[in-house]
């Protein structure tokens, strides 16, 4: 039987494997590992990398927490009081070079003592400059992962990501999207073991995908103009995470560990008033591609 | 009779006067003036200063907008459909030097076609380093303004500011507070004209207060350590504005002009994982003073 302990153990191992792969690819910095406990029950480990050769700031967080289910969740699902258990891995990496994309991944499992459970997660990529070949490659990798598990997963979860990773007040997507899924329970057609196999494959896909871009793009040249644009795009990343991201909001609302939740914020972000890229520039071309519904795969 | 046009005209003049006073005190940069119209009705003017000798980035915004009252407001007040008119001036200034405080001011008037109206606003100061004499001076100035109009204003609005300008997930106040007030309507004791006289005096107090700090602190020496701390504190300012600030949330939710709303964000902000100032440092002393309930006046 697939227990919460099995899932949580696997996530812990995933965190260790991803950190090892990233340290190896970065070649300079190591993760600092911070264990923490949660007052209401459980805890986690935040692994944070700073000042790497390639990764300027990033976090690979594992947590397994439990306690009384927050009222907001119970109300939304029209359920009576119950305890919950939640475990997962969350990652955000901010590269030093503007020629590398920011990446985010999350895989998570949630269950309650009333028998309700689900998986959630996703991966999305936020290039500072959208390179069409890189964007296609990213979506093709995710499509491969999805297609192995269900013919409708990629289309469904890609659309979900377009809608989720959207900065409404800017009318821009955060980046080129990816996949996003939530509340994946068992159906007549799909078992819990099959959902889990999919989530594991999403988690396992992360390191090879990002290491590919690290190796491929780390030596691309850039100058001050590209760096300035990166800092502005990081500002948008901050806006998304603090204004819209449900995980961040939920974490801050429920007195989660602030430093672990906000490890997603960049080392530096800039805001210029009403910045508009020059027409026909690389920056303008990127903005044109921050739209929903592009068929990248 | 005190009409919405009178109020709005006065706010427009306030914006002009404040910009003139700040340009004069800065001595280098001028405000860029951007007029904009709102699809639903009305518009405004965003005056933005960047790369000044003293002010690194700041906005002094005026707006006068009207249209259908958002449902959220009607529901909260249990009122039927009505049109609204809202006008005000909003300011945030980010100084170049960490030895000068960030300042925020807002004065606003809101009325509906059902006859309901109120004033709101406030001023608060966010020093990167809390200097006790400067903090006392600030609160004394505000207390003077308040005391001229009602003996209970200062205590009431100071407490309100402590509660409002609070970063819950950091368990820190944003700065040393100031005054905050909202939904100031007429009472048996206080007329609309008296409320308005108070709000005008708050607006008029802004320029002298900030120019005092500009002149007093602009030449204080600082180094890289102080600059780094400033960038971290600006990160907290971003966190407050994007996570908690009601004006920002309301603006973004109601499709306000994004660049005017987010002029409050700093030119640059940094996030370090789990940054803790050294014990007994100036930075640690400042953190100790970012608490509610300090009697600064």
């Amino acid at each position: 039987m697939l227990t919460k302990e099995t899932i949580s153990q696997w996530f812990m191992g995933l965190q260790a494997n991803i950190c090892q792969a990233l340290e190896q690819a970065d070649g300079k910095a190591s993760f600092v590992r911070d264990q923490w406990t949660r007052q209401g029950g459980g805890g986690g480990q935040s692994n944070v990398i700073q000042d790497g050769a390639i990764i300027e700031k990033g976090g690979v967080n594992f947590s397994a927490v439990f306690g009384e289910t927050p009222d907001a969740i119970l109300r939304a699902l029209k359920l009576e009081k119950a305890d919950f258990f939640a475990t997962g891995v969350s990652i955000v990496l901010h590269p030093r070079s503007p020629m590398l994309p920011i990446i985010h991944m999350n895989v998570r499992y949630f269950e309650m003592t009333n028998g309700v459970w689900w998986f959630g997660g996703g991966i999305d990529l936020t290039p500072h400059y959208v390179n069409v070949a890189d964007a296609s490659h990213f979506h093709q990798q995710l499509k491969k992962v999805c297609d192995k598990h269900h013919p409708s997963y990629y289309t469904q979860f890609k659309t979900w990501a377009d809608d989720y990773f959207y900065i409404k007040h800017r009318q821009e997507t955060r980046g080129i999207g990816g996949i996003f899924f939530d509340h994946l329970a068992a159906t007549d057609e799909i078992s819990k073991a099959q959902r889990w196999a999919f989530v594991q494959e999403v988690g396992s896909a992360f390191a090879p995908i990002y290491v590919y871009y690290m190796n491929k793009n780390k030596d691309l040249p850039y100058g001050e103009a590209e760096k300035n644009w990166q800092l502005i795009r990081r500002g948008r990343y901050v806006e998304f995470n603090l204004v819209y991201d449900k995980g961040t909001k939920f974490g801050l609302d429920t007195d989660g560990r602030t430093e672990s939740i906000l490890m997603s914020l960049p080392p530096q972000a800039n805001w210029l008033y009403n910045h508009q890229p020059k027409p026909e520039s690389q920056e303008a071309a990127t903005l044109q591609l921050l739209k929903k519904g592009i068929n990248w795969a």
Side-chain angles (χ1 to χ4, degrees), chain A residues 183-223:
Chain A
H183 290 269
L184 295 193
T187 66
D188 290 349
E189 194 198 359
I190 307 172
S191 68
K192 185 169 189 175
Q194 287 170 320
R195 294 294 203 193
W196 174 228
F198 167 65
V199 170
Q200 286 177 295
E201 193 138 351
V202 170
S204 301
F206 176 82
I209 287 177
Y210 199 65
V211 168
Y212 168 81
Y213 294 112
M214 288 172 81
N215 291 330
K216 183 178 163 295
N217 293 0
K218 68 180 171 187
D219 295 323
L220 290 178
Y222 64 89

Side-chain angles (χ1 to χ4, degrees), chain A residues 151-269:
Chain A
S152 77
Y153 274 181
Y154 176 73
T155 308
Q156 192 187 343
F157 300 159
K158 191 268 184 199
T159 307
W160 205 338
D162 276 356
D163 289 336
Y164 182 78
F165 297 110
Y166 186 67
I167 307 173
K168 185 177 151 273
H169 62 268
R170 299 288 188 180
Q171 297 182 275
E172 291 169 8
T173 52
R174 175 162 92 171
I176 58 153
I179 55 173
F180 182 89
F181 48 91
D182 203 2
H183 290 269
L184 295 193
T187 66
D188 290 349
E189 194 198 359
I190 307 172
S191 68
K192 185 169 189 175
Q194 287 170 320
R195 294 294 203 193
W196 174 228
F198 167 65
V199 170
Q200 286 177 295
E201 193 138 351
V202 170
S204 301
F206 176 82
I209 287 177
Y210 199 65
V211 168
Y212 168 81
Y213 294 112
M214 288 172 81
N215 291 330
K216 183 178 163 295
N217 293 0
K218 68 180 171 187
D219 295 323
L220 290 178
Y222 64 89
E224 209 183 331
E226 289 78 16
K227 193 69 198 171
N228 288 341
W229 176 246
Q230 176 186 42
L231 296 174
I232 292 169
R233 297 312 305 168
R234 283 181 178 172
R236 303 296 168 93
Y237 209 86
V238 171
E239 290 176 25
F240 177 84
N241 281 20
L242 296 182
V243 178
Y244 300 108
D245 186 61
K246 283 178 193 166
T248 303
K249 273 169 151 2
F250 177 79
L252 297 181
D253 282 351
T254 55
D255 295 323
R257 184 174 183 265
T258 296
E259 286 294 339
S260 298
I261 299 163
L262 298 186
M263 65 83 189
S264 66
L265 300 180
Q268 179 184 344

Side-chain angles (χ1 to χ4, degrees), chain A residues 123-140:
Chain A
I123 308 190
D124 79 299
L125 200 70
T126 305
H128 306 95
Y129 289 93
V130 177
N131 170 307
V132 172
D134 282 358
S136 291
H137 175 84
F138 179 69
H139 275 273
Q140 280 159 11

Side-chain angles (χ1 to χ4, degrees), chain A residues 43-64:
Chain A
Q45 183 169 306
S46 292
N47 292 358
V48 173
I49 190 166
Q50 290 189 113
D51 288 320
I54 302 175
I55 302 170
E56 190 175 341
K57 177 166 178 265
V60 178
N61 292 349
F62 162 79
S63 65

